Amino acid sequence: MPSEDNQYRFLLADDHSLIRQGMEFVIEEIGLVGDIFHASNLNKLMEIIEKESIDFAIIDAMFPDGNSLAVIPEIKKNSPKTKILVFSGLDERSQSLRYINAGADGFLSKMSEEEETKEAVTRFCKEGKYLSSITQSALVEAYMNPNAANPLQKLTSRELQIAELYAKGLGNLEIANILEVKQNTISTTKKRIFEKLEIENIVELIDLLKIN
């Protein structure tokens, strides 16, 4: 699926330049030819997507300015032909389906060995998708147990209610007043919600609520 000039156009998006340089080296090693664009944040990523005809986007999950879960649907909307491979240090078994469900065409762990990384990128560029054995197992598990695919199922109805209030921009005191409970009860519940969903901040919570 090369661009009109018969060369591939790659977008490498990661806030660490060494990761981008390493992936560029992998692309060159496996003999792929084309233009390679770099982005260190989500704003730059979307700027390139909107201006260039990108064939393959290899992007991190987390950036200083947000989670790529928020922009994957936007990438697909702006450039439906662009194939997206999430290259992340997040736990693949518990996190990969979140990105696949958002529209990514593959998920590759940064913990992968060099040869596995080369093989994954080769398959991704040849077939337009890449699913490791770990992600395939997660997909099978999700098919057999649909509730497992939605991490929000881990929450109690009360926790989900509080999560939705956080997503609306309310703080601990405001939520406590609405639910007529103590503020420290809300703080404790917030911590428990984050632990269950394996997230670290409200931005990730909002992204998760959007997808599921």
Side-chain angles (χ1 to χ4, degrees):
M1 57 182 75
S3 304
E4 292 181 2
D5 56 5
N6 293 321
Q7 283 197 336
Y8 292 109
R9 285 190 170 89
F10 296 90
L11 169 58
L12 306 181
D14 196 292
D15 59 313
H16 295 97
S17 61
L18 287 177
I19 297 294
R20 301 196 306 273
Q21 291 167 12
M23 186 55 71
E24 183 168 348
F25 177 76
V26 169
I27 290 170
E28 293 172 353
E29 275 278 287
I30 60 181
L32 295 173
V33 178
D35 297 320
I36 299 179
F37 300 87
H38 289 246
S40 60
N41 56 57
L42 293 178
N43 283 335
K44 183 64 176 178
L45 184 161
M46 289 308 301
E47 180 182 318
I48 293 172
I49 287 292
E50 291 169 3
K51 290 183 178 179
E52 305 293 340
S53 179
I54 299 297
D55 297 300
F56 302 109
I58 301 177
I59 67 177
D60 196 4
M62 303 295 298
F63 291 83
D65 55 338
N67 189 312
S68 60
L69 279 172
V71 301
I72 289 174
E74 287 300 310
I75 295 173
K76 288 295 186 179
K77 180 180 178 180
N78 281 278
S79 181
K81 77 178 186 64
T82 298
K83 299 299 181 180
I84 303 170
L85 176 66
V86 175
F87 185 46
S88 171
L90 294 177
D91 178 67
E92 182 174 3
R93 188 171 299 278
S94 63
Q95 300 294 317
S96 61
L97 291 192
R98 294 175 64 193
Y99 294 85
I100 299 298
N101 289 339
D105 301 287
F107 187 102
L108 175 63
S109 172
K110 287 182 179 177
M111 302 298 107
S112 303
E113 297 292 335
E114 183 179 349
E115 286 306 313
E116 182 181 355
T117 299
K118 288 181 181 178
E119 179 185 352
V121 174
T122 300
R123 285 173 54 187
F124 173 64
C125 294
K126 181 179 180 180
E127 302 172 10
K129 62 181 182 296
Y130 173 74
L131 299 177
S132 71
S133 57
I134 292 175
T135 297
Q136 288 180 38
S137 295
L139 283 168
V140 171
E141 182 180 347
Y143 176 77
M144 299 298 290
N145 180 14
N147 287 341
N150 182 357
L152 297 178
Q153 294 288 339
K154 299 176 184 177
L155 304 183
T156 65
S157 58
R158 186 64 154 184
E159 288 168 348
L160 182 59
Q161 180 185 21
I162 292 172
E164 290 173 340
L165 290 172
Y166 275 122
K168 291 179 180 178
L170 301 182
N172 290 345
L173 181 58
E174 293 171 297
I175 296 174
N177 289 336
I178 290 173
L179 301 181
E180 299 182 343
V181 297
K182 294 181 179 179
Q183 188 173 346
N184 62 354
T185 298
I186 298 300
S187 297
T188 300
T189 304
K190 177 183 179 182
K191 182 179 180 182
R192 189 163 61 246
I193 290 170
F194 280 25
E195 288 174 349
K196 285 186 176 182
L197 299 180
E198 300 181 56
I199 58 176
E200 297 181 358
N201 54 57
I202 297 296
V203 173
E204 290 184 72
L205 177 61
I206 292 171
D207 290 337
L208 196 55
L209 287 167
K210 284 179 182 177
I211 294 170
N212 294 278

